[in-house]
Structures are given as C-alpha cells and as structure tokens.
C-alpha cells in the first residue's frame, strides 16, 4: 500500500504553483473522499487495534506502528455516518496535523490525483455550517465524473481534542494591551474551525477580525481596498493565512500580494498544520514574514505582539 505514496517526495515541486495532490479513499461504497497528500505520512493495511475503554466514541482504538502508539479515529463515524465496518479493504491513513500524529480508519484507498487549487471548490452554501468538508472537486474515472468530498480534518480533530485558547502566564505583554483594540487582522482559512481558533485567541485582546475562506476571496478584498485608495499595510496589522485552500492557496496569495506594489508591504504570517521545516523554506520562497504551525495560541499572540512592537517603534 505504501506504493500509493511513492511519489510524495516530488510534491514539494507543486507548492507555490497553486497545485496539490489528493489521496482518494472510500468510507462508503458509493462516495469518494480525499485529503491532501501533504498531511499524509503513510498508508498501511489495518493492523491489530487495542481498544481504549472510556475514550471518545469516534476513537476506534490504538495501533502500534513501528513502535509508536497511534490513536485511530473511525473517520466514517467522526463525520456523522454509521460506524466504519472492518473489511479486507480496511486501511489506516496516518497523518500529521498540528504537531500530532493520528490514523484514520478508512475503507479502500484508491490513488493519488494531481490537481490545481482552481479545480477545488468550496462546499455549497446550502450544506450548512456543520458539514465536515472544506471543499469538493470532480474527477474522471473510466469516462464517469465523480464528485470528491475533501474532509475538514481540523474540524474532526477539534471535536475530539479540546483546544485550549488560554495563554500561558507571561505571554501577554501588558504594556501592549492598550494599543491592541481596533487593530485589524485578516484571517484566511478554508476551515471554519481554524478561523474560530484564531478568532477566539485574538478577539479577547480587542483585535478586530476580518475573515476570508480562501486565497482568492482574500486577494479580491485587498485589491478592492487598494482600488479605493486605501493603503493595505496601514489597514491591517497583518494577514494570517493558511497554506491549503480552494481557489487559491496561501503561497499563491502571498506571491500575488507581494507582486502588487499597492499592498506589497503587508505583513503576512503563514499559519498551517503542514510540516514546519518544509513551510519555513516556503516562507522564504514566497515572501511571508513569519510562519507558525497550528494551533499554538502563545506563538500566535507572540507574532501579533512582535508586529505591534515594530509598528509602535517606527
């Protein structure tokens, strides 16, 4: 099964080109689902599972993968379907999000497809606020068009893991608190859960939050301000953007902003659950000012405070 991921090392060539790779799999016989290959460490056939009494009902158990104990989430149950049955086609997709490793119990793993972010569409607005999708797309298989649902894994994990948005003692610089109210931060993320986590961290400090659900939406907003004669870097304390989003990813968004002299000075922080070492290299390539991995309230507030200090010192 690991042959499915033999080409994953080549995926770094896609970043900054508004492209992505999706790993397709099934949790039902009639519907295709996907997650971004960047989040996937490996795919393995279902090993022996140790059940955890008293754990969240969405936790299937714990698997021992090469000496590491990895929690296994029944993805079918986690997104609102009945419990995932175990069959000969059952697999574990082992992923790394927000500095944690977990496995998702799925059915048959199909293959990897290479797409552009412009091929990725947000879920229909009529799907409601509580759906578990960040996006949808279409693929052709044997002359038939299939709809593919891209899972909002951050939402799934947030319902299992209680993220604490409180700050550690000593993180908040009290001398800066009077200068925070009224400052504006633009959050760009296709996950409503991720936007909420950032919002819940910064709003108590008096910071005004503006939200966009993809890079293209954010770029159009910034362009409209520039067209109205506003100096974008003065309007916003910073823009905090995810890397992976429909329509336009965070790398492409940053490159577009830097290429427009009307907004090139905007302070941009990349905030993503992807690999930290990889993204630090990409920050330099596309021109972000900072990089922090999700979800770390202390580091998020630290970046905001550092930016505010630099402005006050001017």
């Amino acid at each position: 099964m690991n042959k499915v991921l033999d080409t994953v090392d080549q995926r770094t060539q896609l970043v900054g080109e508004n492209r992505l790779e999706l790993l397709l799999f099934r949790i039902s016989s009639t519907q295709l689902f996907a997650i971004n290959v960047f989040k996937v460490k490996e795919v393995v056939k279902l090993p022996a599972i140790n059940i955890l009494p008293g754990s969240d009902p969405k936790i299937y158990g714990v698997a021992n993968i090469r000496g590491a104990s990895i929690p296994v989430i029944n993805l079918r149950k986690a997104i609102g379907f009945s419990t995932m049955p175990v069959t000969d086609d059952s697999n574990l997709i082992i992923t790394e999000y927000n500095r944690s490793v977990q496995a998702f119990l799925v059915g048959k793993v199909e293959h990897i497809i290479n797409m552009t972010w412009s091929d990725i569409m947000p879920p229909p607005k009529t799907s409601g606020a509580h759906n578990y999708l960040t996006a949808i797309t279409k693929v052709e298989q044997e002359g038939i068009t299939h709809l593919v649902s891209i899972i909002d894994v951050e939402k799934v994990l947030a319902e299992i893991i209680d993220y604490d948005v409180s700050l550690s003692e000593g993180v908040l610089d009290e001398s800066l608190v009077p200068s925070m109210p009224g400052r504006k931060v633009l959050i760009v993320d296709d996950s409503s859960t991720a936007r909420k986590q950032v919002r819940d961290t910064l709003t108590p400090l008096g910071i005004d939050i503006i939200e966009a659900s993809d890079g293209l939406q954010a770029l159009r907003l910034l362009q409209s301000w520039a067209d109205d004669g506003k100096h974008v870097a003065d309007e916003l304390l910073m823009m905090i953007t995810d890397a992976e989003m429909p329509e336009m990813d965070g790398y492409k968004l940053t490159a577009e902003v830097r290429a427009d002299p009307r907004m090139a000075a905007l302070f941009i922080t990349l905030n993503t659950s992807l690999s930290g070492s990889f993204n630090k290299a990409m920050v330099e390539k596309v021109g972000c000012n900072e990089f922090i991995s999700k979800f770390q309230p202390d580091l998020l507030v630290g970046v905001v405070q550092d930016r505010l200090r630099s402005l006050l010192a001017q």
Side-chain angles (χ1 to χ4, degrees):
M1 182 56 65
N2 282 333
K3 291 182 179 179
V4 173
L5 298 177
D6 281 347
T7 63
V8 168
D9 287 341
Q10 301 172 14
R11 68 192 186 273
T12 56
Q13 299 173 12
L14 304 177
V15 179
E17 304 299 329
N18 212 39
R19 301 186 66 84
L20 77 159
E21 288 179 323
L22 295 175
L23 177 64
L24 303 184
F25 59 89
R26 295 184 183 274
I27 55 176
S28 71
S29 60
T30 60
Q31 194 169 355
L32 278 173
F33 292 85
I35 60 174
N36 195 312
V37 169
F38 269 114
K39 309 270 178 79
V40 177
K41 292 175 69 68
E42 61 179 315
V43 178
V44 299
K45 294 299 293 184
L46 183 65
I49 301 294
N50 295 318
I51 305 302
L52 293 177
S55 63
D56 187 288
K58 298 170 185 175
I59 299 292
Y60 184 69
V62 173
N64 188 308
I65 307 294
R66 280 180 291 282
S69 297
I70 299 176
V72 176
I73 297 170
N74 189 314
L75 187 56
R76 180 183 169 98
K77 185 176 183 64
I79 64 173
F81 294 132
S82 58
T83 299
M84 179 78 201
V86 174
T87 69
D88 290 341
D89 284 334
S90 295
N91 292 278
L92 294 185
I93 300 178
I94 301 173
T95 66
E96 184 172 3
Y97 284 80
N98 307 339
R99 309 171 317 282
S100 69
V101 175
Q102 54 281 310
F104 292 100
L105 172 62
V106 302
K108 183 180 179 181
V109 173
E110 298 277 346
H111 55 276
I112 291 173
I113 57 173
N114 188 321
M115 309 193 76
T116 68
W117 277 108
S118 59
D119 297 323
I120 310 299
M121 302 166 287
K125 295 186 183 301
T126 52
S127 60
H130 302 294
N131 71 80
Y132 288 89
L133 306 180
T134 57
I136 58 175
T137 191
K138 297 177 181 178
V139 297
E140 295 283 339
Q141 288 187 339
E142 298 179 351
I144 300 175
T145 300
H146 297 270
L147 192 67
V148 178
S149 301
I150 303 174
I151 301 291
D152 185 349
V153 177
E154 289 169 344
K155 179 178 175 65
V156 171
L157 294 177
E159 294 183 352
I160 298 173
I161 303 169
D162 184 20
Y163 290 111
D164 185 3
V165 300
S166 62
L167 301 178
S168 301
E169 185 177 355
V171 169
L172 186 61
D173 185 342
E174 297 293 343
S175 68
L176 294 175
V177 171
S179 300
M180 291 183 181
R183 302 280 181 171
K184 298 176 183 177
V185 169
L186 173 60
I187 302 172
V188 191
D189 202 305
D190 60 326
S191 170
S192 59
T193 298
R195 295 197 306 271
K196 182 179 186 299
Q197 290 169 348
V198 176
R199 186 173 64 246
D200 289 350
T201 302
L202 298 183
T203 299
L205 304 180
I207 293 174
D208 295 336
I209 301 299
I210 303 167
E211 298 185 31
S213 58
D214 63 67
L216 185 58
Q217 185 182 94
L219 181 62
R220 287 172 174 167
L221 173 63
L222 297 176
Q223 288 172 334
S224 70
W225 288 354
D227 290 343
D228 290 340
K230 296 179 180 178
H231 193 269
V232 172
D234 291 339
E235 289 290 321
L236 295 172
L237 181 65
M238 68 173 60
M239 178 172 70
I240 300 173
T241 181
D242 188 20
E244 305 172 277
M245 295 174 288
E247 303 281 3
M248 179 182 289
D249 66 25
Y251 306 112
K252 181 68 171 177
L253 170 61
T254 300
E256 291 289 334
V257 169
R258 294 294 184 238
D260 190 329
R262 302 175 301 169
M263 61 183 76
L266 178 62
F267 191 95
I268 303 175
T269 296
L270 189 69
N271 183 39
T272 174
S273 56
L274 297 177
S275 164
S277 58
F278 174 75
N279 272 290
K280 286 177 181 177
M282 285 308 305
V283 163
E284 297 178 1
K285 178 179 177 181
V286 302
C288 291
N289 299 97
E290 291 286 352
F291 160 75
I292 54 174
S293 58
K294 298 175 180 177
F295 172 68
Q296 301 184 74
D298 288 357
L299 295 183
L300 177 61
V301 170
V303 168
V304 169
Q305 291 184 151
D306 287 346
R307 174 58 177 159
L308 187 53
R309 285 190 193 98
S310 67
L311 289 177
L312 295 176
Q314 291 178 3

